[in-house]
Each structure stands twice: as structure tokens, then as C-alpha cells.
Amino acid sequence: MRTPRARTAAAACVLLALAAPSAAANSGTGTGTGNIVVAPAVTTRDEPVTVTVHAASCRTGSASSPAFGETPLTPQADGAGGHATPAVARDVAPGSYDITVTCEDGRSVTRTAAFTVVNGAVRGGDGPAPTEGTSTADLVIGGLMVASALIGGGVLWLRGEGREDRPAG
């Protein structure tokens, strides 16, 4: 039977899980300019990111970041904001980067740690496809695992052969 403390902890976990998506959606700072959404959240150098601003008063203007400089916003078809697709600079250092959006009315908003730049390829998700294949170390490790499984299976099989000939009892 659960104790009251366990029930309280479970309820707190459920509330935290329900609150997390809304907190992530509103992580931009500033007033009256809406949300800044960046996709993918993890990217590599020289790859594009899509910056979308969800605010009717921010259909045009610019988005800027130390990772890609300044780029103009293009109005979204539904009129609910603007977007841009800048490429991350080739020489940018790995790390998290802020994005500042300046709207047509002069107001600006900054989303801290809006996206992360990593070395190499991003595996999975919406990031770029991996460029490297199986390494020699991967092949050696896999071969050793197969060999050890065969040897272990052979030992168990040979030990089992001798048990069938023994009398019961």
C-alpha cells in the first residue's frame, strides 16, 4: 500500500510533467512579442536553423545571434508572426546560443540558450544526417563479441554432452 508521502511525490511528478511543455514554450524573455521557436534545437556548423516568432506584431524585422549574424524575418502566411532560416556560421564554436528578435515596431525579445551547436554530425531527430560510417574500432569490438559468444556457447555445449552419459542418482 502506498504511503501519503509516495502519493504526494507522485502527484508532484505529474504536475511537473504537465507544466514542463508550457514552460518550454514560453522561455523567451521580453514583453508583448510572443514566442521564439528554433528548430532543430541541436545543430552543427554550416547548417540552417529555422527561427519562428509567434506574434502578430512581429511579422517583419530581424533575428540575430552570435552563431549566424543578423537575418531578416519574412511574414508567415497566416499573419501570426515571422520566420527566417539562417545558416549557422562555419567558424562558430560549439555551445549554446541566444537569439534576439527585433520586431517592426522596434521592440526586441531575446531567447537565451535558444539552440546548441555541436561538433560533428547530429544523430536522430531533425538534425543533419550523420556523415561517418562504421569505424575500425566498431568492427573489432563487434568481431570480439561474436567470437566470445561462439566460444562460450561451444564450452557450454561440450559440458552438456558429458552430462547425458552419467547415470541418474
Side-chain angles (χ1 to χ4, degrees):
M1 187 87 186
R2 291 187 183 191
T3 64
R5 284 185 184 163
R7 288 184 190 140
T8 304
C13 288
V14 168
L15 289 175
L16 183 61
L18 292 174
S22 62
N26 294 312
S27 59
T29 59
T31 58
T33 55
N35 297 324
I36 299 173
V37 179
V38 182
V42 178
T43 189
T44 59
R45 296 178 188 115
D46 210 25
E47 292 292 329
V49 292
T50 301
V51 179
T52 306
V53 183
H54 296 285
S57 64
C58 204
R59 295 180 311 122
T60 60
S62 65
S64 62
S65 172
F68 55 74
E70 187 172 350
T71 186
L73 292 175
T74 304
Q76 293 185 59
D78 63 2
H83 68 278
T85 309
V88 174
R90 186 173 288 197
D91 60 346
V92 72
S96 292
Y97 288 90
D98 300 347
I99 292 180
T100 299
V101 172
T102 303
C103 302
E104 65 248 24
D105 62 4
R107 291 185 288 175
S108 66
V109 62
T110 298
R111 179 168 177 191
T112 57
F115 66 101
T116 303
V117 177
V118 295
N119 281 326
V122 178
R123 294 182 184 268
D126 294 330
T131 56
E132 71 276 352
T134 306
S135 69
T136 304
D138 293 336
L139 294 174
V140 169
I141 291 169
L144 289 173
M145 290 174 68
V146 169
S148 65
L150 289 173
I151 291 170
V155 168
L156 289 175
W157 180 68
L158 289 174
R159 288 184 66 189
E161 287 286 321
R163 289 186 184 161
E164 292 176 2
D165 296 336
R166 293 185 193 158

